[in-house]
Amino acid sequence: MTDILTTWGGWAPAIRDDPFSHFAAAQARCPVQRVRLPGGDRAWVVLGYDAARRALNDPGISKDMLAALQDNGDVVAEGLPGPEFSRHMLNVDPPDHTRLRRLVSRAFVPGRIAALEPAIQAIADHLLDELDSAGPGATVDLIEGYAYPLPFGVIGELLGIPAAERPRLHAWFGVLLTGWAGDPPPEAVEASNGIVAYLGELVDAKRRSPADDLVSVLVAATEGEALTRQELLSSLFQLVVAGHDTTASLIGNGVVALLDHPGQLQVLLADPGRWPAAIDELMRFTAPVPHATFRVTAEPVTLDGVQIPAHEQVLVCLGAANRDPGRFPAADVLDIGRGDGPNLGFGHGIHYCLGAPLARLEAKIAFETLLSRYPGLQLATGRDALAWTRGDGLVLRGLTSLPVVLDPPNPRRNR
Ligand code: HEM
């Protein structure tokens, strides 16, 4: 049954808010199927857990969309800020992937991640102090005031972006990642130009005065000719993008899921040692990154008995695979105590999320600091008013705002 051609993406608000029954129905029809993308292109969507895991690590499926689709004579639409920012590890295959990932990995060794813990804690405490200053009983936006600036501050620390310069960069990325249909609006072009100019200046400044940060490490690699300037700028851009909206979405989605399941939140507050396992379950259940980035078949590939010809786009639906009932019993139930082993929330194979240990640490500090300081935290709006409209709904599933009262005078359950 590979001839069903549903449109995949560009969903109505109700599906974006809760895509899981839509994913499940599609998966029940066929775990690997041909679909039409909102722009009209054809692609193959992979929904079953086993097929998804295979697709993410199949050498016959390439991440070099530009080369593969151009070989096929197709025109490749380049998003902002353009092709000179697209030569990073997530867009290339080995051996370039191996070289680029190895260079950037120097910033992600366990010692360096652990050393960031006090800085992450300080950022979380500071953001909550700021929100607290709104006064008791005030409604605050947890996305704008906490979930989004926290990982942005952390990526700033990691890269060595001076604290005073983060707000304008943060604002530009906010505009650039909003998403739009058709030609980019002028404010997105302006934001993109601002980011391009800023990253170029940052690289030049670190070349003049190196410091103990990732930009300086990568600048040194360009001098040894292990990395071109184009690859350096692309890698910095990708790290900022990959490193903050994803984590922000996990924090926002996770808080809502825990408010929806107050019994499990109580268990976590009583036994904080359970946070690491709970974070993996929140990743599985809330799908902050519902699909991996686009891939393309470099040769004919067979997945779950379905043959996909060469030069076809492939979209792996992590959100569906992580709720595959054949892999996760009672897949639609949030259970922080489930011991079912790894899920695909951080991907799989050679492109497995390089930032996963950092994201886990950030999420642990973010959830624990927020919910132990404000155990009575409540939604300040009806549950149905929450809208998952941040991102495109394909690669990112996040809330645009999450109005809450941190410390209500008479805490009561949200549901
Ligand atoms: C909850 C937060 C995060 C989630 C859910 C997430 C998810 C993912 C996924 C699914 C992939 C694989 C994409 C694919 O195969 O198409 C990926 C790759 C990647 N992520 Fe993350 N990520 C998160 C946080 C971070 C952070 C904090 C960083 C860095 C600061 C980061 C850096 C990267 C990089 C560099 C890659 C590319 C790896 C490669 O191509 O070899 N991510 N991430």
Side-chain angles (χ1 to χ4, degrees):
M1 268 208 356
T2 57
D3 54 343
I4 305 159
L5 216 57
T6 39
T7 298
W8 201 257
W11 290 302
I15 295 182
R16 294 184 66 165
D17 288 350
D18 184 4
F20 302 104
S21 53
H22 190 73
F23 291 168
Q27 188 181 329
R29 281 201 302 276
C30 189
V32 178
Q33 61 183 267
R34 236 171 139 211
V35 293
R36 192 189 303 279
L37 299 171
D41 281 3
R42 304 283 176 95
W44 294 78
V45 71
V46 182
L47 301 138
Y49 181 88
D50 290 337
R53 217 172 117 88
R54 264 249 5 246
L56 291 171
N57 204 25
D58 190 321
I61 303 183
S62 166
K63 276 298 299 148
D64 197 339
M65 304 291 294
L66 207 58
L69 293 177
Q70 272 169 352
D71 282 356
N72 199 27
D74 286 350
V75 178
V76 181
E78 273 292 344
L80 288 172
E84 71 273 25
F85 276 69
S86 69
R87 297 308 290 176
H88 51 72
M89 70 180 95
L90 193 49
N91 275 350
V92 293
D93 298 326
D96 283 341
H97 173 263
T98 321
R99 174 175 55 87
L100 294 175
R101 183 164 170 127
R102 193 184 300 131
L103 286 169
V104 179
S105 295
R106 292 177 191 172
F108 289 86
V109 291
R112 266 201 187 249
I113 300 299
L116 283 171
E117 185 163 352
I120 302 173
Q121 186 65 59
I123 293 171
D125 291 336
H126 170 72
L127 291 170
L128 290 183
D129 289 346
E130 298 259 297
L131 289 179
D132 217 18
S133 65
T139 294
V140 296
D141 182 357
L142 214 52
I143 298 296
E144 194 192 318
Y146 191 65
Y148 194 45
L150 189 149
F152 199 87
V154 176
I155 196 80
E157 290 288 321
L158 187 79
L159 293 182
I161 297 169
E165 293 171 13
R166 289 177 203 161
R168 66 184 168 132
L169 201 59
H170 186 176
W172 283 328
F173 272 99
V175 173
L176 198 62
L177 298 177
T178 310
W180 55 83
D183 290 338
E187 61 274 18
V189 175
E190 200 183 309
S192 171
N193 291 342
I195 293 168
V196 168
Y198 179 78
L199 291 180
E201 283 162 22
L202 182 68
V203 162
D204 294 340
K206 299 287 179 187
R207 196 182 300 283
R208 286 192 301 273
S209 344
D212 183 21
D213 55 46
L214 179 59
V215 177
S216 303
V217 168
L218 294 180
V219 166
T222 59
E223 279 153 14
E225 292 180 13
L227 190 71
T228 66
R229 185 176 171 93
Q230 182 196 16
E231 289 168 337
L232 167 62
L233 291 171
S234 303
S235 300
L236 297 180
F237 181 79
Q238 190 251 340
L239 279 169
V240 179
V241 172
H244 79 287
D245 244 0
T246 49
T247 315
S249 298
L250 172 62
I251 297 170
N253 296 355
V255 168
V256 174
L258 290 171
L259 292 178
D260 282 345
H261 297 82
Q264 301 201 42
L265 175 55
Q266 291 312 317
V267 171
L268 284 164
L269 292 176
D271 182 2
R274 301 181 72 147
W275 274 112
I279 286 163
D280 273 4
E281 175 65 352
L282 291 170
M283 279 280 290
R284 186 193 73 78
F285 186 78
T286 73
V289 176
H291 298 79
T293 51
F294 278 93
R295 287 164 160 72
V296 60
T297 48
E299 60 193 34
V301 167
T302 303
L303 290 175
D304 215 356
V306 176
Q307 200 184 53
I308 305 179
H311 308 300
E312 300 265 333
Q313 298 193 71
V314 176
L315 192 56
V316 177
C317 184
L318 306 172
N322 279 341
R323 290 201 186 202
D324 182 338
R327 168 68 182 80
F328 298 99
D332 288 328
V333 174
L334 176 80
D335 176 3
I336 57 162
R338 80 166 60 233
D340 298 333
N343 65 66
L344 298 179
F346 284 117
H348 174 68
I350 64 166
H351 293 283
Y352 179 80
C353 178
L354 180 61
L358 176 61
R360 286 198 171 98
L361 178 63
E362 289 180 53
K364 179 176 172 298
I365 293 174
F367 287 127
E368 208 176 340
T369 307
L370 173 73
L371 295 164
S372 61
R373 181 162 164 179
Y374 302 109
L377 182 140
Q378 284 178 3
L379 291 184
T381 178
R383 174 67 174 75
D384 292 347
L386 297 179
W388 273 263
T389 46
R390 184 178 210 101
D392 56 6
L394 279 182
V395 179
L396 206 67
R397 173 174 184 267
L399 288 159
T400 313
S401 73
L402 178 52
V404 297
V405 179
L406 294 173
D407 206 359
N410 296 307
R412 64 187 151 74
R413 290 177 178 223
N414 288 284
R415 286 191 127 192

